[in-house]
Amino acid sequence: SQQGEEDPQALSIQEGENATMNCSYKTSINNLQWYRQNSGRGLVHLILIRSNEREKHSGRLRVTLDTSKKSSSLLITASRAADTASYFCATDPGGYQKVTFGTGTKLQVIP
Amino acid sequence: GAGVSQSPRYKVAKRGQDVALRCDPISGHVSLFWYQQALGQGPEFLTYFQNEAQLDKSGLPSDRFFAERPEGSVSTLKIQRTQQEDSAVYLCASSLRSGNEKLFFGSGTQLSVL
């Protein structure tokens, strides 16, 4: 079963616009991660935010985490056509426990 | 190696056949995960190893699925008596340690059961 649920399921924007994706999860976490997947194959890690952090930046990416609401958001600023991909959040409960993925947001950036 | 390697990239099996999917994690990585991804869905957890110990196999769909990592490096996911619903991409991921670590994914094995 999926631990997280992304919203929206699909998003289409023009190049240069910002894209925001949201993730809600169910149980307590040690950290939350965001991944990108092109063409339905291997996932690439984007950013990890720990449960005691509220916001994190990496290049054009900004992630927020609200553990009281069990939610996270990923903002991609100044989007490019190359950002077209599916984006997944993943929750890590910590210790020797499994990392589980959400349902994903399919982002299309139109040149 | 430079990254996580999975083989084969594509596998076509007739219903009822047994298949074996291989994962070579990044050298030295302690944790290894297997995921199943159906078309248009997120990866679904199958099983998790820490070195050679299988610490969680709660995601394996049935007793037809079996995974091993005997020497704490290469892992094999075996599916016996394949069925059409087993058709999916099987992803392997590894991380240096357990907890607070990003996962490195292979390109996956796309399994089609006819």
Side-chain angles (χ1 to χ4, degrees):
Chain A
S1 61
Q2 311 280 176
Q3 152 78 311
E5 195 170 302
E6 278 92 334
D7 167 56
Q9 287 188 331
L11 180 61
S12 183
I13 59 174
Q14 295 290 328
E15 202 165 30
E17 294 181 337
N18 296 341
T20 299
M21 288 157 264
N22 302 295
C23 168
S24 59
Y25 57 93
K26 299 171 186 171
T27 60
S28 62
I29 61 170
N30 193 40
N31 69 70
L32 185 143
Q33 305 173 36
W34 285 89
Y35 288 80
R36 184 182 75 194
Q37 185 177 40
N38 290 88
S39 305
R41 300 316 292 271
L43 286 79
V44 175
H45 181 267
L46 296 175
I47 195 164
L48 181 153
I49 186 165
R50 291 179 168 72
S51 60
N52 61 353
E53 297 175 311
R54 291 297 167 257
E55 188 171 312
K56 202 162 183 180
H57 297 253
S58 178
R60 294 184 296 113
L61 305 180
R62 173 180 168 252
V63 169
T64 62
L65 179 64
D66 187 335
T67 53
S68 66
K69 294 181 180 177
K70 290 187 168 60
S71 68
S72 174
S73 68
L74 171 68
L75 169 67
I76 304 173
T77 60
S79 64
R80 305 166 181 167
D83 295 329
T84 295
S86 292
Y87 292 81
F88 296 92
C89 66
T91 52
D92 182 351
Y96 304 135
Q97 298 186 62
K98 59 192 179 188
V99 175
T100 54
F101 284 79
T103 51
T105 292
K106 194 167 185 177
L107 173 66
Q108 181 184 30
V109 181
I110 302 166
Chain B
V4 178
S5 177
Q6 290 188 246
S7 61
R9 289 290 298 272
Y10 303 92
K11 177 68 179 177
V12 178
K14 290 183 179 178
R15 192 174 58 170
Q17 278 186 332
D18 298 348
V19 298
L21 312 180
R22 178 187 169 103
C23 173
D24 277 275
I26 294 173
S27 178
H29 276 199
V30 165
S31 297
L32 186 145
F33 298 80
W34 282 99
Y35 291 88
Q36 180 191 60
Q37 188 176 27
L39 190 64
Q41 301 295 315
E44 290 266 8
F45 171 83
L46 293 177
T47 186
Y48 162 60
F49 289 86
Q50 187 175 32
N51 295 309
E52 69 279 4
Q54 189 174 20
L55 298 186
D56 189 336
K57 55 180 180 179
S58 62
L60 296 176
S62 73
D63 57 9
R64 296 186 296 104
F65 287 71
F66 172 76
E68 61 183 3
R69 194 187 184 198
E71 296 177 0
S73 55
V74 171
S75 177
T76 303
L77 176 67
K78 298 178 180 177
I79 309 173
Q80 297 177 322
R81 304 180 304 281
T82 53
Q83 300 178 6
Q84 282 190 319
E85 59 262 30
D86 300 334
S87 296
V89 175
Y90 290 85
L91 296 166
C92 175
S94 70
S95 67
L96 185 58
R97 291 178 293 270
S98 62
N100 272 330
E101 291 283 338
K102 64 182 182 181
L103 302 184
F104 293 83
F105 277 84
S107 296
T109 294
Q110 185 168 335
L111 173 65
S112 298
V113 181
L114 306 178

